[in-house]
Amino acid sequence: MNTFKSVFENYDWNTIQNKIYLTTEKEVKNSLVKTKKSLDDFLIFISPAAKPFLEEMAQTSHLLTKKRFGKIIQMYAPMYLSNECQNICTYCGFSLDNKIRRKTLTEEEIFIEITELKKAGFDTILLVTGEASHKVNIDYFLKAVTQIKEHFSSILVEVQPLSTEEYQQLHSTGVHSVMIYQETYHREVYKEYHPKGKKSNFDFRLETPDRIGEAGIHKIGLGVLLGLEDWRTDSFFNALHIDYLQKKYWKSNYSVSFPRLRPAEGIIEPNFIMEDSDLLQLICAYRLWNEDLEISISTRENEKFRDNIIPLGVTSMSAGSKTNPGGYIVDVESLEQFETSDERSAQTIAKIISEKGYQPIWKNWDKSYTI
Ligand code: SF4
């Protein structure tokens, strides 16, 4: 099967990085007035040269988002099912070499957690696990999804890369969206962050969205871990990946997330600092380039940033998140994957969204459309 790898191999990290950093003010002005923006324009919008045009970019991003999506923000909550992991990732609290108490939720514990999330108002849930296929595998996922789909109209998953057949099984069982993050597209340093386990196979991860697309999953979510490598270059490759997928698997929808490296037990400091204004620039660049892209902001971000970003391009937000298995009620003391920054409740976030003139959406999909 022809995959994104064949496209990716035509690009070189240093060449793209130089192109981004050598962008001129004139190029930014030219790109801003184009009616149809290309990936070349996206590269220009994320450049340092575009920074002085941030206000203009934010206004356009606001208008484009309102035109395509209306004034809505989809609400969702992550639910961590397991912190078991067979990989070593130098930036993650669940890394195999981190001596923490490991936990995988049982059916009863899942029920307790989802009851709590339903009480908070959620109808869209993101199921997250580490990568431990001896315990948390396709059989576990199918059982969990079968149990959970009775209570939520939309199920998203962020689990280890699977085969096309396994994604098809998830799809037919009720999974609506699959998130998979390459972390960094810098092939040469990828191995340094992922020294052990299946995740150290750069190509297998790179080709995962193709398998998700082949399986006909409704929505595919991509992203890079911002802070590992130069965020501008990594984001160009992430957009290149989305561009390829959108053209090939055109029946699926696409979303992008912006995990910024956050503190966690035993992890590295970010190599590259990304300021709030950089993240705003990146969100606006995605919107200016791609009007259909769903844009998600998690509770990794601070309260002020999250409040201000509501009208500027995002379409979904998590709220009141716990990043440890059982974190909502079953086992509040277990180790989290990373520290959240915005700890306000879902209802508080919904109120803030309303005060900004936007509508918090708890349900925008019905499972009867899924199969
Ligand atoms: S990032 Fe994912 S694969 Fe890596 S250690 Fe954490 S949970 Fe495991």
Side-chain angles (χ1 to χ4, degrees):
M1 181 176 78
N2 227 2
T3 68
F4 176 63
K5 193 177 162 206
S6 60
V7 174
F8 180 72
E9 280 171 347
N10 295 324
Y11 289 80
D12 167 68
W13 179 277
N14 291 333
T15 308
I16 293 296
Q17 190 169 33
N18 284 338
K19 215 170 154 188
I20 294 170
Y21 284 86
L22 291 175
T23 297
T24 63
E25 184 184 324
K26 188 163 173 257
E27 286 175 307
V28 179
K29 285 181 175 167
N30 286 343
S31 289
L32 281 171
V33 294
K34 283 189 193 168
T35 35
K36 183 98 186 84
K37 273 93 170 171
S38 67
L39 201 56
D40 287 338
D41 298 307
F42 175 81
L43 181 149
I44 287 167
F45 294 144
I46 57 174
S47 71
K51 206 61 183 284
F53 298 87
L54 195 48
E55 178 64 36
E56 185 180 339
M57 285 172 65
Q59 281 178 19
T60 310
S61 178
H62 162 72
L63 292 173
L64 291 172
T65 310
K66 197 167 70 165
K67 185 179 83 172
R68 170 64 179 81
F69 296 94
K71 295 177 81 176
I72 57 109
I73 301 286
Q74 168 73 50
M75 306 286 292
Y76 74 95
M79 183 167 98
Y80 279 65
L81 295 173
S82 174
N83 63 3
E84 292 275 356
C85 196
Q86 293 164 317
N87 292 322
I88 294 182
C89 300
T90 56
Y91 47 80
C92 178
F94 295 172
S95 188
L96 176 69
D97 56 347
N98 209 354
K99 301 290 169 230
I100 57 163
R101 192 157 52 87
R102 304 287 171 169
K103 182 168 187 64
T104 299
L105 297 189
T106 63
E107 198 176 325
E108 293 71 33
E109 289 169 334
I110 289 174
F111 182 74
I112 294 169
E113 292 286 283
I114 57 180
T115 304
E116 189 66 14
L117 287 172
K118 289 301 288 183
K119 254 198 275 171
F122 289 107
D123 197 46
T124 296
I125 189 167
L126 168 64
L127 306 180
V128 188
T129 66
E131 300 190 7
S133 49
H134 63 299
K135 266 197 166 179
V136 187
N137 46 32
I138 188 66
D139 294 336
Y140 179 87
F141 299 140
L142 293 175
K143 212 169 145 210
V145 170
T146 304
Q147 179 188 2
I148 292 165
K149 73 175 176 185
E150 298 307 317
H151 307 272
F152 292 85
S153 58
S154 189
I155 299 178
L156 295 61
V157 298
E158 188 184 326
V159 300
Q160 71 258 37
L162 300 169
S163 67
T164 306
E165 294 69 32
E166 288 168 331
Y167 284 126
Q168 281 165 341
Q169 284 179 284
L170 285 180
H171 180 50
S172 56
T173 307
V175 167
H176 176 272
S177 314
V178 178
M179 313 293 148
I180 184 83
Y181 305 139
Q182 185 65 25
E183 317 297 9
T184 178
Y185 287 86
H186 197 323
R187 184 191 281 278
E188 285 69 38
V189 299
Y190 180 89
K191 187 87 180 169
E192 291 170 25
Y193 298 116
H194 308 99
K196 190 167 185 286
K198 279 194 182 155
K199 196 167 174 177
S200 59
N201 186 337
F202 181 90
D203 287 345
F204 185 66
R205 199 164 186 90
L206 191 71
E207 295 179 316
T208 300
D210 274 282
R211 298 194 297 278
I212 303 170
E214 284 287 326
I217 295 282
H218 182 77
K219 185 166 73 184
I220 306 172
L222 267 64
V224 291
L225 186 51
L226 300 163
L228 282 188
E229 290 300 313
D230 174 48
W231 67 265
R232 292 185 163 93
T233 313
D234 252 335
S235 296
F236 171 80
F237 282 105
N238 194 60
L240 178 72
H241 206 161
I242 292 171
D243 191 53
Y244 157 87
L245 293 165
Q246 266 183 323
K247 286 174 182 146
K248 186 163 180 183
Y249 308 103
W250 52 270
K251 288 185 182 169
S252 296
N253 290 322
Y254 293 87
S255 71
V256 63
S257 304
F258 305 93
R260 263 201 287 187
L261 203 50
R262 294 277 306 149
E265 184 78 19
I267 69 150
I268 56 166
E269 287 293 312
N271 282 336
F272 293 84
I273 302 296
M274 185 186 210
E275 306 291 347
D276 284 359
S277 61
D278 296 332
L279 183 51
L280 171 62
Q281 182 184 357
L282 181 58
I283 288 170
C284 296
Y286 270 112
R287 176 59 69 228
L288 266 59
W289 163 59
N290 195 323
E291 295 180 23
D292 291 327
L293 196 61
E294 295 185 31
I295 294 182
S296 182
I297 279 289
S298 79
T299 55
R300 282 179 186 254
E301 299 308 326
N302 64 60
E303 297 181 4
K304 189 167 166 230
F305 183 84
R306 275 167 51 92
D307 291 356
N308 290 334
I309 200 70
I310 289 168
L312 300 181
V314 301
T315 54
S316 73
M317 291 176 95
S318 55
S321 304
K322 301 294 178 196
T323 66
N324 46 333
Y328 291 103
I329 199 153
V330 168
D331 188 1
V332 291
E333 298 298 322
S334 68
L335 189 100
E336 53 194 1
Q337 191 187 30
F338 58 87
E339 284 175 24
T340 56
S341 181
D342 184 352
E343 297 184 345
R344 295 170 296 177
S345 72
Q347 292 305 325
T348 304
I349 300 300
K351 189 163 171 280
I352 290 163
I353 291 170
S354 300
E355 284 166 1
K356 297 260 178 196
Y358 279 66
Q359 189 185 355
I361 300 289
W362 300 93
K363 172 176 179 171
N364 78 344
W365 183 260
D366 192 278
K367 58 181 176 240
S368 59
Y369 296 125
T370 308
I371 301 167

